[in-house]
Amino acid sequence: MTTATTESRTFEADVSRLLHMMVHSVYSDRDVFLRELISNAADACEKLRYEGIATPTLIGDDGKLAITIAADPEAGKLSISDNGIGMSRDELIEALGTIARSGTRAFMEQVEAAKGKDGAQLIGQFGVGFYSAFMVAAEVDVVSRRAGSSEAWHWTSDGKGEFSVAPAPLEDAPERGTRVLLSLLDDAKTYAERWTLERIVKAQSGHVPVPIHLIEKPGAEATSLADGAALWTKPKSEIKPEDYTDFYRSVAAQYDEPAATIHFRAEGRHEYTTLAFVPGSKPFDLLDADRKGRMKLYVKRVFITDEAELLPRYLRFVRGLVDTADLPLNVSREMIQDSPLLAAIRKGVTNRILGDLGKLAENDADAFGKIWENFGPVVKEGLYEDYERREQLLTLARFASTATAGLRSLKDYVAALRENQTAIYYIVGDDPARIATSPQLEGFRARGIEVLLLSDPVDSFWVSSAPDYEGKPFKSVTQGAADLGLIPLVDGATPRAESSPEVASLLEAMKLALAGEVADVRASDRLTESAVCLVAPDSGPDRQFEKLLSAAGRIDSAAKPVLEVNVQHSLVLSLAGLQDDSLRNDLAHLLLDEARILDGERPTDARSFSGRLGRLIAQALAVSR
Ligand code: ADP
């Protein structure tokens, strides 16, 4: 039994915070609230259409689903009504008292992180649902009647922390569905004016798949604002770019321009239409790999689910829909997931999207570069998740590189290989600025060998799954004894001279002094300016990858590295002539710590490090006195 009296409740704490932000926001583009309410109304109609397949009585003889916007400019009121699925009392309390969508939480986290500074800006980039009504309304009343129910409920709030729910007399309630009534704020009265409403609906919601009517004042006839025709079923030649943009905004909940639009009809064994978009900027939940609802599945224009996995995870930034006539309308959502049709669609749509991106990369490198900047780190997950398309994904991928300031493709890299060069060299690290100045790169630069600079968190993972590209293996510059000796220096100089007996015995002495900490000390081909650097032992994995694994507790500890020494460096040459054993010992340790610091690490024993440095400074001061 439900209570028959008015019940007041407080909003969940997060909702209160969100509402506070809405009400106090100085965000200038408040128009977005209308798109949010229309989108909820359209969803409610689509849900009813779907439930009505199994239970036709829910729809009965009121089969014309529609959204009606009714304005009362004199009273400063505006209502948005739909004859969709409606909400029961519990659904009202749940849906309009808590934060249902994960995206809204992500939004709030961003605002908190920005310390409220540009929170207002964020509202515009990001739909925040029903609660955005409080940007324009002093009070919001929602009257709803669930399809098939004989009860109606009235939810009301001024957005200041509490809401109340009471039974609504049936004569005031819609016969089915929901009416959201806004009592507009004094400075928002324009939202009850015909021309404002027309403008906003045409710009933001002209292509929702449910017709929209406008009643411009009490007693007026309804006029049509949008016909509810499914944009994706129209021939491409009849669709204008702004139609696509408008549709993209409503399907993707983004407010920018799409960076790529992919619209095609597959014919043959399976027939389906796809309309998909690559967003122009990063959606807030991009890194949330579990978030559902990226691509919607329609059957004969009826929305079925947004939880079918129509795309692989590494394309989770793509938004849009697939509409097919090859599934029965009453297909259960569980059946869909296992159907061979879904697998075929998934394959077809994935191939098409990657193919179109590949063409864009060829024809408009700048446009593709922007897409790659936003979504490359996600697409790269495909390099270890989708072996079948690895070559294709590698061809698509773009990388920072020592060769240019811009992005490089592997095709360019391979075309510019140096004589005797057999591998694609890379360096990984989390800080792009630091890896670009790593000492390990010196010998590569001196030989004119390009090195890819990989600084996305996923890079370590795909690159260590040992791929190759056009038969060229990927090789880390910090790994093993890179066979640099075979490749001539660009300035024609002869590579490293055979080291003198003094240098050879210095290396031996250092090996002894550092025995517990490094696997080996040896002369380097990698260095031209720095005195020392650390590399992985010959058969060991890339050092950065190993560090990641040990930080994640996946391996006990990283293998001991090899200390490489630049035997032409003046510091090393004078060290070789040094007679004082204890000073030599100090310097060996200091050089090792220097190499660690250059790798973004810390000296392992800070006390000993500062002791040695102190002794050295004291000596230097004594000499200069
Ligand atoms: P979202 O639409 O992203 O879920 P909202 O805050 O806009 O987030 O809405 C929260 C929930 O309220 C919706 O998921 C839906 O269950 C319910 N709701 C909102 N408006 C309507 C409506 N017009 N008809 C039916 N349910 C609605």
Side-chain angles (χ1 to χ4, degrees):
M1 272 305 288
T2 46
T3 44
T5 49
T6 303
E7 194 187 333
S8 290
R9 292 182 171 233
T10 48
F11 285 111
E12 187 192 55
D14 278 349
V15 179
S16 292
R17 270 164 48 223
L18 180 65
L19 284 170
H20 186 84
M21 246 149 56
M22 290 294 168
V23 175
H24 295 275
S25 120
V26 285
Y27 185 58
S28 55
D29 187 9
R30 296 185 293 179
D31 296 2
V32 297
F33 86 91
L34 191 57
R35 197 207 68 169
E36 298 297 327
L37 296 182
I38 290 177
S39 149
N40 282 346
D43 288 351
C45 292
E46 296 204 296
K47 275 185 207 157
L48 177 66
R49 229 178 242 159
Y50 178 74
E51 288 195 14
I53 296 163
T55 319
T57 51
L58 290 182
I59 299 186
D61 48 16
D62 182 12
K64 280 202 181 125
L65 300 180
I67 299 167
T68 304
I69 300 175
D72 184 343
E74 270 176 28
K77 289 183 191 267
L78 173 71
S79 72
I80 292 95
S81 312
D82 64 74
N83 56 353
I85 191 76
M87 283 175 275
S88 66
R89 174 178 173 277
D90 290 350
E91 285 169 330
L92 264 177
I93 292 173
E94 168 65 22
L96 307 185
T98 61
I99 292 186
R101 49 164 140 189
S102 64
T104 303
R105 284 197 199 282
F107 163 77
M108 305 237 320
E109 278 157 24
Q110 296 274 335
V111 172
E112 308 264 278
K115 297 249 155 38
K117 258 180 292 161
D118 48 4
Q121 221 52 42
L122 293 169
I123 295 175
Q125 293 167 23
F126 191 51
V128 282
F130 171 79
Y131 301 110
S132 59
F134 288 101
M135 289 199 294
V136 298
E139 186 177 286
V140 178
D141 289 277
V142 180
V143 180
S144 194
R145 181 166 170 183
R146 184 93 168 60
S149 165
S150 56
E151 294 172 348
W153 294 91
H154 177 187
W155 178 104
T156 182
S157 177
D158 60 4
K160 296 204 175 99
E162 287 193 354
F163 64 92
S164 64
V165 183
L170 286 186
E171 57 275 20
D172 288 347
E175 289 207 14
R176 180 186 69 216
T178 303
R179 181 173 67 233
V180 178
L181 175 67
L182 310 180
S183 305
L184 296 169
L185 291 164
D186 284 342
D187 66 355
K189 296 272 197 269
T190 173
Y191 292 112
E193 282 160 20
R194 179 203 171 106
W195 69 270
T196 310
L197 294 166
E198 259 179 13
R199 174 182 61 79
I200 304 176
V201 172
K202 295 232 157 86
Q204 295 185 351
S205 311
H207 294 285
V208 299
V210 179
I212 304 175
H213 304 298
L214 173 68
I215 298 174
E216 64 175 291
K217 57 176 186 253
E221 288 276 307
T223 54
S224 166
L225 284 186
D227 63 5
L231 182 73
W232 62 92
T233 59
K234 294 187 180 167
K236 278 166 96 161
S237 58
E238 286 175 20
I239 305 176
K240 296 196 285 291
E242 54 269 32
D243 296 333
Y244 279 127
T245 299
D246 165 20
F247 185 75
Y248 156 74
R249 290 179 177 171
S250 68
V251 76
Q254 291 267 117
Y255 287 91
D256 53 3
E257 297 282 326
T261 300
I262 296 141
H263 185 190
F264 71 98
R265 190 176 157 68
E267 271 156 5
R269 212 148 69 83
H270 300 294
E271 293 192 359
Y272 56 88
T273 299
T274 300
L275 177 51
F277 302 92
V278 176
S281 54
K282 285 184 202 163
F284 277 72
D285 48 5
L286 181 63
L287 296 177
D288 173 4
D290 296 327
R291 187 188 170 289
K292 304 257 173 63
R294 295 182 176 93
M295 287 283 279
K296 302 183 177 200
L297 178 67
Y298 283 74
V299 171
K300 302 185 190 85
R301 301 188 202 183
V302 176
F303 170 71
I304 304 291
T305 177
D306 52 14
E307 300 199 352
E309 284 165 25
L310 291 166
L311 287 175
R313 269 165 29 109
Y314 63 86
L315 291 179
R316 61 180 174 272
F317 54 89
V318 175
R319 305 290 144 106
L321 59 88
V322 172
D323 188 357
T324 180
D326 290 357
L327 284 172
L329 265 174
N330 59 1
V331 64
S332 78
R333 289 175 181 153
E334 297 70 41
M335 263 170 59
I336 294 171
Q337 213 50 41
D338 305 322
S339 81
L341 175 67
L342 187 82
I345 291 178
R346 196 176 145 107
K347 187 166 171 197
V349 178
T350 305
N351 286 344
R352 179 62 180 249
I353 290 174
L354 293 181
D356 279 15
L357 288 178
K359 276 185 219 149
L360 184 68
E362 301 253 301
N363 302 332
D364 188 345
D366 286 349
F368 180 75
K370 272 188 78 180
I371 293 178
W372 189 260
E373 229 166 80
N374 283 330
F375 305 117
V378 177
V379 176
K380 281 184 199 163
E381 292 171 13
L383 292 172
Y384 54 83
E385 285 181 351
D386 190 351
Y387 286 96
E388 227 175 279
R389 296 195 183 81
R390 179 141 89 181
E391 192 78 8
Q392 189 179 7
L393 292 172
L394 281 173
T395 306
L396 207 56
R398 296 293 183 272
F399 303 94
S401 135
T402 52
T404 66
L407 292 173
R408 286 282 270 184
S409 69
L410 291 176
K411 218 164 126 196
D412 295 339
Y413 184 104
V414 169
L417 283 187
R418 291 270 290 151
E419 173 190 350
N420 290 340
Q421 181 185 348
T422 53
I424 297 170
Y425 288 105
Y426 66 87
I427 180 164
V428 232
D430 37 25
D431 176 353
R434 190 179 60 72
I435 58 176
T437 56
S438 286
Q440 285 95 337
L441 296 179
E442 292 168 5
F444 291 85
R445 209 171 282 130
R447 289 170 176 82
I449 301 173
E450 176 173 4
V451 177
L452 303 178
L453 307 169
L454 308 182
S455 59
D456 287 327
V458 296
D459 284 327
S460 278
F461 292 96
W462 69 262
V463 88
S464 60
S465 65
D468 57 74
Y469 182 76
E470 293 188 356
K472 309 280 180 290
F474 283 78
K475 213 163 168 191
S476 163
V477 300
T478 71
Q479 213 167 357
D483 33 31
L484 285 181
L486 297 172
I487 302 172
L489 292 165
V490 270
D491 61 7
T494 41
R496 149 165 79 93
E498 275 311 303
S499 49
S500 63
E502 287 78 24
V503 167
S505 71
L506 170 69
L507 295 182
E508 279 309 310
M510 286 178 76
K511 211 185 293 188
L512 270 179
L514 304 176
E517 305 186 61
V518 298
D520 195 9
V521 177
R522 68 177 177 224
S524 181
D525 284 317
R526 255 176 274 247
L527 299 171
T528 59
E529 290 145 45
S530 305
V532 286
C533 72
L534 286 170
V535 301
D538 282 354
S539 56
D542 171 67
R543 297 225 322 124
Q544 177 71 19
F545 185 53
E546 215 184 12
K547 278 189 240 171
L548 263 177
L549 290 182
S550 82
R554 303 271 287 277
I555 51 173
D556 286 344
S557 64
K560 280 183 207 146
V562 171
L563 182 69
E564 286 201 351
V565 178
N566 177 355
V567 296
Q568 286 166 324
H569 197 280
S570 58
L571 182 69
V572 174
L573 292 175
S574 19
L575 197 53
L578 202 66
Q579 296 309 323
D580 179 343
D581 277 353
S582 82
L583 179 59
R584 194 143 107 164
N585 186 53
D586 272 357
L587 284 168
H589 278 101
L590 281 171
L591 283 174
L592 172 60
D593 282 334
E594 180 192 324
R596 287 184 175 130
I597 292 168
L598 285 169
D599 258 10
E601 296 172 20
R602 296 178 178 188
T604 34
D605 179 350
R607 273 190 81 86
S608 313
F609 170 74
S610 73
R612 290 183 186 116
L613 196 59
R615 286 199 286 279
L616 200 65
I617 293 172
Q619 267 202 359
L621 291 175
V623 169
S624 68
R625 200 166 280 152

PDB file of all heavy atoms in Angstrom, residues 138-163:
ATOM      1  N   ALA A 138      11.960  28.329 -10.550  1.00  0.00           N
ATOM      2  CA  ALA A 138      11.952  28.494  -9.097  1.00  0.00           C
ATOM      3  C   ALA A 138      11.299  27.282  -8.457  1.00  0.00           C
ATOM      4  O   ALA A 138      11.565  26.929  -7.321  1.00  0.00           O
ATOM      5  CB  ALA A 138      11.184  29.760  -8.726  1.00  0.00           C
ATOM      6  N   GLU A 139      10.405  26.665  -9.214  1.00  0.00           N
ATOM      7  CA  GLU A 139       9.734  25.481  -8.703  1.00  0.00           C
ATOM      8  C   GLU A 139       9.461  24.530  -9.861  1.00  0.00           C
ATOM      9  O   GLU A 139       9.158  24.973 -10.971  1.00  0.00           O
ATOM     10  CB  GLU A 139       8.411  25.884  -8.055  1.00  0.00           C
ATOM     11  CG  GLU A 139       7.740  24.714  -7.366  1.00  0.00           C
ATOM     12  CD  GLU A 139       6.457  25.148  -6.667  1.00  0.00           C
ATOM     13  OE1 GLU A 139       6.565  25.802  -5.616  1.00  0.00           O
ATOM     14  OE2 GLU A 139       5.384  24.839  -7.199  1.00  0.00           O
ATOM     15  N   VAL A 140       9.595  23.253  -9.595  1.00  0.00           N
ATOM     16  CA  VAL A 140       9.311  22.250 -10.620  1.00  0.00           C
ATOM     17  C   VAL A 140       8.263  21.276 -10.074  1.00  0.00           C
ATOM     18  O   VAL A 140       8.395  20.770  -8.960  1.00  0.00           O
ATOM     19  CB  VAL A 140      10.589  21.474 -11.016  1.00  0.00           C
ATOM     20  CG1 VAL A 140      10.259  20.401 -12.055  1.00  0.00           C
ATOM     21  CG2 VAL A 140      11.660  22.416 -11.550  1.00  0.00           C
ATOM     22  N   ASP A 141       7.212  21.065 -10.850  1.00  0.00           N
ATOM     23  CA  ASP A 141       6.177  20.098 -10.492  1.00  0.00           C
ATOM     24  C   ASP A 141       6.162  18.993 -11.537  1.00  0.00           C
ATOM     25  O   ASP A 141       6.090  19.277 -12.732  1.00  0.00           O
ATOM     26  CB  ASP A 141       4.798  20.763 -10.484  1.00  0.00           C
ATOM     27  CG  ASP A 141       4.662  21.709  -9.306  1.00  0.00           C
ATOM     28  OD1 ASP A 141       4.352  21.234  -8.196  1.00  0.00           O
ATOM     29  OD2 ASP A 141       4.904  22.917  -9.503  1.00  0.00           O
ATOM     30  N   VAL A 142       6.223  17.771 -11.083  1.00  0.00           N
ATOM     31  CA  VAL A 142       6.163  16.655 -12.015  1.00  0.00           C
ATOM     32  C   VAL A 142       4.926  15.831 -11.667  1.00  0.00           C
ATOM     33  O   VAL A 142       4.777  15.396 -10.521  1.00  0.00           O
ATOM     34  CB  VAL A 142       7.420  15.763 -11.914  1.00  0.00           C
ATOM     35  CG1 VAL A 142       7.327  14.595 -12.893  1.00  0.00           C
ATOM     36  CG2 VAL A 142       8.678  16.578 -12.154  1.00  0.00           C
ATOM     37  N   VAL A 143       4.038  15.666 -12.635  1.00  0.00           N
ATOM     38  CA  VAL A 143       2.873  14.810 -12.402  1.00  0.00           C
ATOM     39  C   VAL A 143       3.002  13.637 -13.361  1.00  0.00           C
ATOM     40  O   VAL A 143       3.194  13.835 -14.561  1.00  0.00           O
ATOM     41  CB  VAL A 143       1.552  15.565 -12.652  1.00  0.00           C
ATOM     42  CG1 VAL A 143       0.363  14.638 -12.387  1.00  0.00           C
ATOM     43  CG2 VAL A 143       1.475  16.791 -11.761  1.00  0.00           C
ATOM     44  N   SER A 144       2.926  12.430 -12.827  1.00  0.00           N
ATOM     45  CA  SER A 144       3.205  11.282 -13.685  1.00  0.00           C
ATOM     46  C   SER A 144       2.254  10.128 -13.405  1.00  0.00           C
ATOM     47  O   SER A 144       1.829   9.897 -12.269  1.00  0.00           O
ATOM     48  CB  SER A 144       4.656  10.824 -13.483  1.00  0.00           C
ATOM     49  OG  SER A 144       5.015   9.946 -14.524  1.00  0.00           O
ATOM     50  N   ARG A 145       1.923   9.432 -14.456  1.00  0.00           N
ATOM     51  CA  ARG A 145       1.082   8.242 -14.321  1.00  0.00           C
ATOM     52  C   ARG A 145       1.705   7.138 -15.148  1.00  0.00           C
ATOM     53  O   ARG A 145       1.867   7.259 -16.357  1.00  0.00           O
ATOM     54  CB  ARG A 145      -0.318   8.574 -14.826  1.00  0.00           C
ATOM     55  CG  ARG A 145      -1.273   7.418 -14.700  1.00  0.00           C
ATOM     56  CD  ARG A 145      -2.690   7.922 -14.901  1.00  0.00           C
ATOM     57  NE  ARG A 145      -3.613   6.819 -15.028  1.00  0.00           N
ATOM     58  CZ  ARG A 145      -4.909   6.955 -15.262  1.00  0.00           C
ATOM     59  NH1 ARG A 145      -5.429   8.167 -15.403  1.00  0.00           N
ATOM     60  NH2 ARG A 145      -5.681   5.906 -15.365  1.00  0.00           N
ATOM     61  N   ARG A 146       2.087   6.082 -14.471  1.00  0.00           N
ATOM     62  CA  ARG A 146       2.750   4.962 -15.132  1.00  0.00           C
ATOM     63  C   ARG A 146       1.765   4.296 -16.080  1.00  0.00           C
ATOM     64  O   ARG A 146       0.578   4.152 -15.748  1.00  0.00           O
ATOM     65  CB  ARG A 146       3.216   3.956 -14.074  1.00  0.00           C
ATOM     66  CG  ARG A 146       4.014   2.771 -14.604  1.00  0.00           C
ATOM     67  CD  ARG A 146       5.488   3.096 -14.528  1.00  0.00           C
ATOM     68  NE  ARG A 146       6.469   2.042 -14.732  1.00  0.00           N
ATOM     69  CZ  ARG A 146       6.668   1.273 -15.790  1.00  0.00           C
ATOM     70  NH1 ARG A 146       5.859   1.321 -16.800  1.00  0.00           N
ATOM     71  NH2 ARG A 146       7.661   0.428 -15.852  1.00  0.00           N
ATOM     72  N   ALA A 147       2.208   3.894 -17.256  1.00  0.00           N
ATOM     73  CA  ALA A 147       1.339   3.201 -18.210  1.00  0.00           C
ATOM     74  C   ALA A 147       0.707   1.994 -17.530  1.00  0.00           C
ATOM     75  O   ALA A 147       1.397   1.215 -16.876  1.00  0.00           O
ATOM     76  CB  ALA A 147       2.149   2.760 -19.427  1.00  0.00           C
ATOM     77  N   GLY A 148      -0.610   1.851 -17.646  1.00  0.00           N
ATOM     78  CA  GLY A 148      -1.300   0.703 -17.071  1.00  0.00           C
ATOM     79  C   GLY A 148      -1.696   0.887 -15.617  1.00  0.00           C
ATOM     80  O   GLY A 148      -2.326   0.014 -15.025  1.00  0.00           O
ATOM     81  N   SER A 149      -1.335   2.040 -15.012  1.00  0.00           N
ATOM     82  CA  SER A 149      -1.633   2.227 -13.597  1.00  0.00           C
ATOM     83  C   SER A 149      -2.863   3.116 -13.416  1.00  0.00           C
ATOM     84  O   SER A 149      -3.151   3.984 -14.241  1.00  0.00           O
ATOM     85  CB  SER A 149      -0.432   2.860 -12.891  1.00  0.00           C
ATOM     86  OG  SER A 149      -0.821   3.350 -11.625  1.00  0.00           O
ATOM     87  N   SER A 150      -3.557   2.914 -12.307  1.00  0.00           N
ATOM     88  CA  SER A 150      -4.724   3.754 -12.055  1.00  0.00           C
ATOM     89  C   SER A 150      -4.392   4.853 -11.042  1.00  0.00           C
ATOM     90  O   SER A 150      -5.262   5.531 -10.544  1.00  0.00           O
ATOM     91  CB  SER A 150      -5.866   2.892 -11.535  1.00  0.00           C
ATOM     92  OG  SER A 150      -5.415   2.193 -10.387  1.00  0.00           O
ATOM     93  N   GLU A 151      -3.110   4.989 -10.720  1.00  0.00           N
ATOM     94  CA  GLU A 151      -2.714   6.050  -9.786  1.00  0.00           C
ATOM     95  C   GLU A 151      -1.830   7.059 -10.499  1.00  0.00           C
ATOM     96  O   GLU A 151      -1.081   6.714 -11.401  1.00  0.00           O
ATOM     97  CB  GLU A 151      -1.855   5.478  -8.656  1.00  0.00           C
ATOM     98  CG  GLU A 151      -2.566   4.533  -7.733  1.00  0.00           C
ATOM     99  CD  GLU A 151      -1.575   3.875  -6.764  1.00  0.00           C
ATOM    100  OE1 GLU A 151      -0.343   3.990  -6.986  1.00  0.00           O
ATOM    101  OE2 GLU A 151      -2.041   3.258  -5.811  1.00  0.00           O
ATOM    102  N   ALA A 152      -1.889   8.303 -10.027  1.00  0.00           N
ATOM    103  CA  ALA A 152      -0.959   9.312 -10.533  1.00  0.00           C
ATOM    104  C   ALA A 152      -0.293   9.969  -9.336  1.00  0.00           C
ATOM    105  O   ALA A 152      -0.855  10.010  -8.233  1.00  0.00           O
ATOM    106  CB  ALA A 152      -1.691  10.348 -11.364  1.00  0.00           C
ATOM    107  N   TRP A 153       0.920  10.477  -9.539  1.00  0.00           N
ATOM    108  CA  TRP A 153       1.685  11.051  -8.429  1.00  0.00           C
ATOM    109  C   TRP A 153       2.234  12.407  -8.790  1.00  0.00           C
ATOM    110  O   TRP A 153       2.526  12.699  -9.950  1.00  0.00           O
ATOM    111  CB  TRP A 153       2.815  10.093  -8.034  1.00  0.00           C
ATOM    112  CG  TRP A 153       2.259   8.825  -7.463  1.00  0.00           C
ATOM    113  CD1 TRP A 153       1.943   7.691  -8.139  1.00  0.00           C
ATOM    114  CD2 TRP A 153       1.884   8.620  -6.105  1.00  0.00           C
ATOM    115  NE1 TRP A 153       1.401   6.756  -7.308  1.00  0.00           N
ATOM    116  CE2 TRP A 153       1.359   7.300  -6.038  1.00  0.00           C
ATOM    117  CE3 TRP A 153       1.919   9.384  -4.941  1.00  0.00           C
ATOM    118  CZ2 TRP A 153       0.874   6.751  -4.850  1.00  0.00           C
ATOM    119  CZ3 TRP A 153       1.457   8.827  -3.760  1.00  0.00           C
ATOM    120  CH2 TRP A 153       0.937   7.530  -3.719  1.00  0.00           C
ATOM    121  N   HIS A 154       2.357  13.206  -7.757  1.00  0.00           N
ATOM    122  CA  HIS A 154       2.788  14.587  -7.942  1.00  0.00           C
ATOM    123  C   HIS A 154       4.060  14.823  -7.127  1.00  0.00           C
ATOM    124  O   HIS A 154       4.070  14.665  -5.915  1.00  0.00           O
ATOM    125  CB  HIS A 154       1.657  15.516  -7.463  1.00  0.00           C
ATOM    126  CG  HIS A 154       2.008  16.970  -7.545  1.00  0.00           C
ATOM    127  ND1 HIS A 154       1.197  17.951  -7.039  1.00  0.00           N
ATOM    128  CD2 HIS A 154       3.068  17.618  -8.075  1.00  0.00           C
ATOM    129  CE1 HIS A 154       1.749  19.146  -7.250  1.00  0.00           C
ATOM    130  NE2 HIS A 154       2.897  18.960  -7.871  1.00  0.00           N
ATOM    131  N   TRP A 155       5.106  15.147  -7.826  1.00  0.00           N
ATOM    132  CA  TRP A 155       6.409  15.417  -7.190  1.00  0.00           C
ATOM    133  C   TRP A 155       6.633  16.912  -7.282  1.00  0.00           C
ATOM    134  O   TRP A 155       6.383  17.519  -8.331  1.00  0.00           O
ATOM    135  CB  TRP A 155       7.467  14.667  -7.983  1.00  0.00           C
ATOM    136  CG  TRP A 155       8.916  14.807  -7.585  1.00  0.00           C
ATOM    137  CD1 TRP A 155       9.652  13.884  -6.915  1.00  0.00           C
ATOM    138  CD2 TRP A 155       9.820  15.877  -7.903  1.00  0.00           C
ATOM    139  NE1 TRP A 155      10.943  14.304  -6.777  1.00  0.00           N
ATOM    140  CE2 TRP A 155      11.078  15.542  -7.370  1.00  0.00           C
ATOM    141  CE3 TRP A 155       9.686  17.101  -8.563  1.00  0.00           C
ATOM    142  CZ2 TRP A 155      12.207  16.357  -7.486  1.00  0.00           C
ATOM    143  CZ3 TRP A 155      10.807  17.922  -8.675  1.00  0.00           C
ATOM    144  CH2 TRP A 155      12.051  17.545  -8.138  1.00  0.00           C
ATOM    145  N   THR A 156       7.074  17.530  -6.228  1.00  0.00           N
ATOM    146  CA  THR A 156       7.333  18.970  -6.338  1.00  0.00           C
ATOM    147  C   THR A 156       8.536  19.369  -5.507  1.00  0.00           C
ATOM    148  O   THR A 156       8.835  18.752  -4.475  1.00  0.00           O
ATOM    149  CB  THR A 156       6.088  19.796  -5.934  1.00  0.00           C
ATOM    150  OG1 THR A 156       6.394  21.186  -6.103  1.00  0.00           O
ATOM    151  CG2 THR A 156       5.711  19.565  -4.485  1.00  0.00           C
ATOM    152  N   SER A 157       9.251  20.385  -6.000  1.00  0.00           N
ATOM    153  CA  SER A 157      10.418  20.860  -5.263  1.00  0.00           C
ATOM    154  C   SER A 157      10.794  22.256  -5.724  1.00  0.00           C
ATOM    155  O   SER A 157      10.537  22.644  -6.868  1.00  0.00           O
ATOM    156  CB  SER A 157      11.604  19.925  -5.492  1.00  0.00           C
ATOM    157  OG  SER A 157      12.747  20.433  -4.833  1.00  0.00           O
ATOM    158  N   ASP A 158      11.396  23.013  -4.792  1.00  0.00           N
ATOM    159  CA  ASP A 158      11.967  24.301  -5.190  1.00  0.00           C
ATOM    160  C   ASP A 158      13.484  24.162  -5.358  1.00  0.00           C
ATOM    161  O   ASP A 158      14.195  25.139  -5.488  1.00  0.00           O
ATOM    162  CB  ASP A 158      11.623  25.394  -4.181  1.00  0.00           C
ATOM    163  CG  ASP A 158      12.143  25.073  -2.786  1.00  0.00           C
ATOM    164  OD1 ASP A 158      12.839  24.040  -2.622  1.00  0.00           O
ATOM    165  OD2 ASP A 158      11.870  25.841  -1.847  1.00  0.00           O
ATOM    166  N   GLY A 159      13.950  22.927  -5.323  1.00  0.00           N
ATOM    167  CA  GLY A 159      15.368  22.682  -5.579  1.00  0.00           C
ATOM    168  C   GLY A 159      16.267  23.111  -4.442  1.00  0.00           C
ATOM    169  O   GLY A 159      17.472  23.263  -4.607  1.00  0.00           O
ATOM    170  N   LYS A 160      15.697  23.277  -3.232  1.00  0.00           N
ATOM    171  CA  LYS A 160      16.530  23.755  -2.124  1.00  0.00           C
ATOM    172  C   LYS A 160      16.749  22.679  -1.074  1.00  0.00           C
ATOM    173  O   LYS A 160      16.779  22.969   0.112  1.00  0.00           O
ATOM    174  CB  LYS A 160      15.886  24.987  -1.488  1.00  0.00           C
ATOM    175  CG  LYS A 160      15.805  26.157  -2.455  1.00  0.00           C
ATOM    176  CD  LYS A 160      15.729  27.493  -1.719  1.00  0.00           C
ATOM    177  CE  LYS A 160      15.763  28.648  -2.705  1.00  0.00           C
ATOM    178  NZ  LYS A 160      14.407  29.180  -2.983  1.00  0.00           N
ATOM    179  N   GLY A 161      16.851  21.464  -1.470  1.00  0.00           N
ATOM    180  CA  GLY A 161      17.185  20.436  -0.488  1.00  0.00           C
ATOM    181  C   GLY A 161      16.085  19.425  -0.243  1.00  0.00           C
ATOM    182  O   GLY A 161      16.337  18.309   0.186  1.00  0.00           O
ATOM    183  N   GLU A 162      14.822  19.811  -0.488  1.00  0.00           N
ATOM    184  CA  GLU A 162      13.733  18.872  -0.227  1.00  0.00           C
ATOM    185  C   GLU A 162      12.814  18.738  -1.423  1.00  0.00           C
ATOM    186  O   GLU A 162      12.715  19.638  -2.246  1.00  0.00           O
ATOM    187  CB  GLU A 162      12.895  19.366   0.955  1.00  0.00           C
ATOM    188  CG  GLU A 162      13.586  19.220   2.279  1.00  0.00           C
ATOM    189  CD  GLU A 162      12.613  19.432   3.439  1.00  0.00           C
ATOM    190  OE1 GLU A 162      11.443  19.796   3.175  1.00  0.00           O
ATOM    191  OE2 GLU A 162      13.034  19.224   4.580  1.00  0.00           O
ATOM    192  N   PHE A 163      12.135  17.613  -1.484  1.00  0.00           N
ATOM    193  CA  PHE A 163      11.045  17.463  -2.442  1.00  0.00           C
ATOM    194  C   PHE A 163       9.913  16.751  -1.739  1.00  0.00           C
ATOM    195  O   PHE A 163      10.114  16.138  -0.689  1.00  0.00           O
ATOM    196  CB  PHE A 163      11.503  16.681  -3.686  1.00  0.00           C
ATOM    197  CG  PHE A 163      11.918  15.263  -3.414  1.00  0.00           C
ATOM    198  CD1 PHE A 163      11.001  14.225  -3.521  1.00  0.00           C
ATOM    199  CD2 PHE A 163      13.227  14.959  -3.062  1.00  0.00           C
ATOM    200  CE1 PHE A 163      11.381  12.910  -3.277  1.00  0.00           C
ATOM    201  CE2 PHE A 163      13.619  13.645  -2.823  1.00  0.00           C
ATOM    202  CZ  PHE A 163      12.701  12.620  -2.926  1.00  0.00           C
TER     203      PHE A 163
END
